[in-house]
Amino acid sequence: MGDRQIAGPHGPLALRVYDSEATDGPGLVWLHGGGFAFGDLDMPEAHWVGQQLAARGITVVSVGYQLAPQFELRGSPAVGRGTGAHFPVASEEVAAAFEWVHAHAAELGIDPDRLSLGGASAGGNLAAGASLRLRDAGGVLPASVLLAYPTLHAALPEPTPELAAKIARLDAGSAFPPASVRAMNLNYVRDEALLADPYAFPGGHDLAGLPPTFILNSDRDSLRSSGEAYASELAAAGVDLLLVREPGTKHGHLNQPNEPAATTSIERMAAWLCPGHLIPSRQTESSP
C-alpha cells in the first residue's frame, strides 16, 4: 500500500494504491461514498475494501476526490472534510484519476485492458458519471463499472412495493427520505439546473455504449430504487449488466467489515473483476 499525489484538474489529487501480488492483473479505480460531502480514504468503505480486493489479486487505486460542503443529512450535521468543491470538481477528478491510472498501469502491475472503475453510494454516482465523461470524450473506457448501493438519479425513483415495505420498517437513522436525497443532491451541485446534467446524475440519460456494469445493492435501502432503475435503463440501452441485492443489508454495508454480508459482497466484487475468482460455495447469489 502506498499514498501518492498526482496533478489533478483542480489541484493535487490524492491516491492510495493497494498492491496485489498479481503481475499484469486486474485493477480497480475506487471511490468511497459519503453523500458527496464527507468520507475519506481511511473509512472501511475505502480502506478495508482496498485491502480485501488486493488480497484477492486485484490492484486497487482509491481516490481522495474533493468534497462538497458539509450539510445536514437526515436532520444531523454531517461530520467530514468537506472543502466546498461543488460539481463538476469531483466528477472531473475521477475521470482524470482513471486516465492517470490507465496511463501508468504497467508501473502499477495492472493490465490496462482489465482496469475497471467503481464506487459506493455517492462514489458510485461519481464512477457512473465519469464513465459517461470518458465515453463522450472518445478516450479509453473502463473494462467494467462496479457500483455498490449507488445513488444515480437527481430525484429518487419510486420504490417497488417490496422495497417500500422494507423502507417503512427502517429507523430514522437508516432511511433516506426523498427530501433528504434532494437536499444532498442540491448540496453537491449547488445550482438546481445542474441536477439535469448527465455527468452529475446519469440516471435517466443516454447510457448507450457504456461498459459492462455490476450493480450491488443493499437490501433494506431507500437508495436501492435508484440502483434498480439504473439497471433497467442500462438494459434498455443494450449495456451488459449484473444486478445483485445483498440480502438483509442496510445502506453502506461495506462500511461494516465485521458483518458477514460485507465479506460476501467483497467476494462478489472480486468475482466480477477477476472472473477466475470463485465465490465460496457457502454463499449464494441473491435474486436480482
Side-chain angles (χ1 to χ4, degrees), residues 44-136:
E45 196 174 73
H47 184 61
W48 180 77
V49 168
Q51 289 179 316
Q52 293 297 308
L53 291 177
R56 290 161 173 80
I58 300 149
T59 297
V60 178
V61 180
S62 191
V63 182
Y65 58 88
Q66 293 188 61
L67 300 174
Q70 297 178 25
F71 70 108
E72 287 197 357
L73 180 64
R74 294 177 294 192
S76 299
V79 178
R81 55 178 180 88
T83 59
H86 295 280
F87 175 83
V89 172
S91 177
E92 293 175 346
E93 288 183 328
V94 169
F98 177 84
E99 291 175 328
W100 186 92
V101 174
H102 188 270
H104 294 79
E107 170 193 339
L108 298 169
I110 298 171
D111 177 352
D113 293 330
R114 301 173 69 192
L115 177 63
S116 295
L117 175 61
S121 194
N125 169 291
L126 294 173
S131 69
L132 287 182
R133 284 187 183 278
L134 294 164
R135 179 201 66 182
D136 294 348

Side-chain angles (χ1 to χ4, degrees), residues 187-224:
N187 183 68
Y188 170 47
V189 298
R190 182 170 50 185
D191 181 352
E192 187 165 359
L194 291 175
L195 290 172
D197 191 306
Y199 301 148
F201 295 99
H205 294 282
D206 175 18
L207 306 180
L210 289 179
T213 300
F214 176 24
I215 300 176
L216 174 67
N217 283 325
S218 299
D219 182 16
R220 295 176 288 156
D221 179 7
S222 310
L223 300 185
R224 173 153 69 92

Side-chain angles (χ1 to χ4, degrees), residues 26 56 58 114 144 268-279:
R56 290 161 173 80
I58 300 149
R114 301 173 69 192
S144 73
R268 298 190 198 281
M269 294 162 67
W272 171 263
L273 296 165
C274 187
H277 180 88
L278 300 178
I279 299 175

